Amino acid sequence: MTRINVSPYADALWKGVGGHFDSFSEIIYEFIDNIISNYDKNKSMIRAAIINIEPVNTTNTIRVKIEDCGSGIENIEAALRLGDTSNRQTPLNEHGFGFKHALASANPENNRWIIYTRTEADLSNGQYKVVKAPYDFSIEEEIVSITTSPWPGRLNGSGTMFEFECSRELFNTLIQDRRGNPGVHKCLELLSWDLGYVYSNIIKEGRIALTILSSTVNYNSPVAAITPDWVGLYDPKEGKIKKSLDGNDVDIEFKFGEIKANDISSRHYQRNMSTSGLEVRINGRLLESNLLTDVWGVEQHNKYNHFLAQVNIISNNPDYLPKTRTSKNGIRIGDKKLLDLFRWVKSVMPEPPEKLSKEFSERELVKKLKEEKERHTRAVDKHIDNEFEVFRIRQTPVRVDLYVYDGTEVVLYEAKKGSADMKAFYQLLMYWDGAVDDEIEPSEGVLLAESFADGVVNLIEDFNNKTDAKGNRYKFVCKTWTEEGINF
Ligand SMILES: Nc1ncnc2c1ncn2[C@@H]1O[C@H](COP(=O)(O)OP(=O)(O)OP(=O)(O)O)[C@@H](O)[C@H]1O
Ligand SMILES: [Mg+2]
């Protein structure tokens, strides 16, 4: 038997490792994941990171520098080894491929990338380490003294800076839907929105403070979290619970609701077909969005545009979390943990809602009021009903928002979530007349709303001087939800 050597050519491997990403942003995420991981692991006090992007006119490329003030790369050898996971710091370090994938995608020529890093020990020795292209199976690690060549970045203390060049075409993937040669400034704004979206929770929690900087195009701006603008919530609304995914307990933060179009980023949370559905995050980092078919088995449709569900799976144990693809731009559909998550989402919300949450909550509020009334009414012969109908003898019944018989009197309710207008009052009047028509004698009609439009109260007073078809005086009153003990 002879042993044959099948080790790959480093250059070919580099080319093969690259090309995993569809967009420039995805490349940047790999570096940011590592920085957040390092800050989380060390519980760092200062969590700045600078993304510096400058066009290089002579070569029509873009030079990117990503710098942090973390603890530096302890073991550069392991960090550079493909698939080496021995240096994992948090679940954000998963496969041992991240930055190598990213560098190889950005610079397939394998000639323009450099890593500068210094640990606390390097810092006190007045030195930093440098590793640069080309990627090979043995790479030189240079130790540079700051007296001969100062730290090339902007941040003091320990930390790491990745520097690479990529093609303008790759950079332009930031603009997915525009032709021509978009300006660098615009691209940076789009990058900022992408980062603000993917890391929204992490930015809000203060786990990283990102800045994008370009002196060439005069851009200097912190990355703000991009979050949905909610207009209302659907059951089970929002909260945090413990759930078992494939037998492992994780915390799940969730929020189900209706959104309006985001007015900061024109690309995210737009209340359209490509930004609605279920969004899954792991420890705050976005993994997958726009899920509908995988969870509910329904086709994408604009009737769901308003609907967003957010689920954030939280655990420090990487084995408890769904596995991502090696290029992290998505989760592996078919993962048992993910299937358990989808099953849970479907059991709390069996169908994605077609109705707007506003319509929904008015009904819901009436249901709450009904429960209140049931609790507070003692009479054994009470009848409290949100399905009660009048005009029954006319064959075309009309449903009353709420009918309350407390053993002595009948009270009819017309409920409006917001402001009650003339139409709302006339609806109440119709309930009254319809009840009288059915031989019921109401004692009171309540117009229930958050507020009352001009003139409504006066109109009601006028009507209270009139009599109904039976010759009884109308008795209408305006009440707010708070007066009825319902707060929302
Ligand atoms: N900015 C950084 N500061 C400190 N250590 C870092 C930094 N970037 C990378 N590292 C180290 O390099 C290792 C390799 O990073 P890389 O992104 O290639 O893989 P990974 O994060 O382990 O896994 P994944 O494939 O999921 O990204 C990391 O585990 C981490 O130990
Ligand atoms: Mg990584």
Side-chain angles (χ1 to χ4, degrees):
M1 233 178 13
T2 48
R3 290 212 148 261
I4 50 173
N5 182 353
V6 293
S7 58
Y9 296 118
D11 219 39
L13 185 67
W14 185 258
K15 284 200 175 60
V17 161
H20 280 275
F21 300 103
D22 301 327
S23 74
F24 181 81
S25 297
E26 287 179 356
I27 291 176
I28 302 297
Y29 302 155
E30 288 297 340
F31 300 100
I32 306 305
D33 283 344
N34 290 343
I35 298 173
I36 296 166
S37 183
N38 188 261
Y39 286 157
D40 282 353
K41 162 85 199 245
N42 296 314
K43 301 192 165 53
S44 305
M45 296 258 288
I46 298 175
R47 293 171 175 242
I50 301 174
I51 304 173
N52 173 225
I53 293 182
E54 309 288 350
V56 187
N57 286 330
T58 45
T59 47
N60 194 31
T61 55
I62 298 284
R63 182 175 298 130
V64 181
K65 294 179 189 170
I66 302 170
E67 185 183 3
D68 65 65
C69 52
S71 61
I73 302 177
E74 288 291 342
N75 183 345
I76 301 185
E77 193 176 13
L80 279 166
R81 191 176 293 124
L82 287 171
D84 189 323
T85 54
S86 60
N87 280 345
R88 284 210 304 218
Q89 303 187 306
T90 72
L92 270 168
N93 303 115
E94 216 184 328
H95 312 285
F97 278 100
F99 81 73
K100 282 80 80 179
H101 265 167
L103 288 177
S105 299
N107 178 223
E109 300 83 7
N110 195 8
N111 60 353
R112 285 179 206 275
W113 57 264
I114 312 181
I115 306 167
Y116 306 91
T117 190
R118 53 178 172 181
T119 59
E120 279 298 333
D122 291 325
L123 192 69
S124 45
N125 289 336
Q127 65 181 43
Y128 58 91
K129 300 190 180 103
V130 179
V131 177
K132 51 164 114 60
Y135 187 82
D136 209 337
F137 296 132
S138 70
I139 310 184
E140 201 171 318
E141 176 190 300
E142 221 178 299
I143 296 175
V144 180
S145 156
I146 51 165
T147 48
T148 39
S149 185
W151 174 255
R154 294 162 196 266
L155 299 171
N156 298 319
S158 60
T160 304
M161 184 166 85
F162 283 86
E163 178 178 335
F164 59 88
E165 275 179 41
C166 75
S167 69
R168 188 63 197 254
E169 287 71 38
L170 181 65
F171 183 66
N172 286 353
T173 57
L174 280 166
I175 308 236
Q176 293 146 348
D177 40 12
R178 273 172 233 204
R179 285 156 213 270
N181 205 3
V184 172
H185 200 277
K186 182 67 202 171
C187 285
L188 296 183
E189 188 177 33
L190 292 164
L191 173 65
S192 179
W193 293 343
D194 281 352
L195 288 162
Y197 168 63
V198 167
Y199 298 106
S200 57
N201 300 34
I202 296 176
I203 294 169
K204 278 193 299 183
E205 287 162 12
R207 286 160 57 199
I208 194 157
L210 282 166
T211 299
I212 301 179
L213 195 69
S214 175
S215 50
T216 321
V217 298
N218 205 9
Y219 189 102
N220 180 349
S221 190
V223 174
I226 301 288
T227 51
D229 288 323
W230 302 96
V231 248
L233 299 182
Y234 299 103
D235 275 336
K237 301 196 174 67
E238 60 183 315
K240 186 172 177 177
I241 49 157
K242 247 190 203 1
K243 275 286 138 193
S244 160
L245 302 183
D246 194 18
N248 302 305
D249 278 355
V250 296
D251 285 316
I252 295 182
E253 279 174 352
F254 60 86
K255 194 161 180 173
F256 295 76
E258 176 192 341
I259 56 164
K260 63 178 173 107
N262 188 288
D263 50 16
I264 299 172
S265 163
S266 58
R267 187 175 278 178
H268 307 99
Y269 302 127
Q270 281 306 298
R271 199 187 168 109
N272 59 19
M273 245 160 83
S274 54
T275 59
S276 52
L278 173 71
E279 163 188 301
V280 180
R281 291 173 184 268
I282 293 184
N283 292 321
R285 202 271 204 205
L286 182 91
L287 256 304
E288 192 84 73
S289 60
N290 202 210
L291 295 164
L292 208 62
T293 317
D294 291 313
V295 185
W296 291 282
V298 296
E299 289 301 316
Q300 291 279 357
H301 191 281
N302 56 22
K303 67 185 174 194
Y304 304 122
N305 283 0
H306 60 280
F307 167 58
L308 181 77
Q310 288 185 309
V311 163
N312 183 21
I313 311 169
I314 303 166
S315 173
N316 285 326
N317 189 332
D319 297 334
Y320 289 12
L321 297 164
K323 291 275 169 288
T324 69
R325 293 193 216 122
T326 41
S327 46
K328 293 220 185 113
N329 41 11
I331 346 187
R332 294 171 205 240
I333 302 290
D335 182 303
K336 180 75 171 55
K337 300 182 185 79
L338 198 62
L339 293 178
D340 280 356
L341 178 76
F342 289 177
R343 200 168 302 133
W344 172 75
V345 170
K346 206 176 153 174
S347 56
V348 297
M349 177 175 266
E351 309 270 355
E354 291 177 29
K355 284 214 177 72
L356 303 184
S357 65
K358 273 194 193 135
E359 295 174 41
F360 188 74
S361 353
E362 201 165 272
R363 267 208 338 254
E364 230 193 12
L365 288 171
V366 171
K367 232 168 87 188
K368 264 199 196 152
L369 181 63
K370 180 182 172 227
E371 286 160 14
E372 277 297 291
K373 294 283 173 200
E374 268 164 355
R375 232 198 325 272
H376 292 119
T377 312
R378 291 277 150 84
V380 280
D381 59 344
K382 68 183 168 188
H383 183 83
I384 297 159
D385 195 345
N386 56 349
E387 304 280 331
F388 191 82
E389 291 170 338
V390 294
F391 283 125
R392 273 183 290 191
I393 56 164
R394 307 264 171 194
Q395 311 297 329
T396 306
V398 172
R399 192 165 58 80
V400 176
D401 283 354
L402 190 67
Y403 169 99
V404 178
Y405 174 65
D406 66 356
T408 11
E409 297 190 325
V410 168
V411 181
L412 304 173
Y413 284 83
E414 161 63 13
K416 280 281 162 256
K417 194 184 165 199
S419 165
D421 56 7
M422 298 298 187
K423 249 167 76 185
F425 167 65
Y426 267 89
Q427 197 138 358
L428 181 61
L429 181 63
M430 176 176 63
Y431 297 161
W432 185 296
D433 289 346
V436 171
D437 208 40
D438 288 344
E439 304 290 334
I440 295 165
E441 289 189 14
S443 304
E444 195 173 66
V446 179
L447 185 59
L448 183 60
E450 209 181 338
S451 61
F452 303 90
D454 284 347
V456 171
V457 178
N458 276 342
L459 182 72
I460 286 182
E461 279 168 11
D462 289 350
F463 263 89
N464 284 345
N465 288 320
K466 298 182 185 177
T467 51
D468 63 22
K470 276 267 153 69
N472 294 321
R473 267 231 185 161
Y474 287 118
K475 189 181 171 217
F476 296 116
V477 293
C478 292
K479 279 192 181 167
T480 62
W481 290 98
T482 330
E483 282 172 321
E484 284 286 358
I486 308 287
N487 293 307
F488 62 92

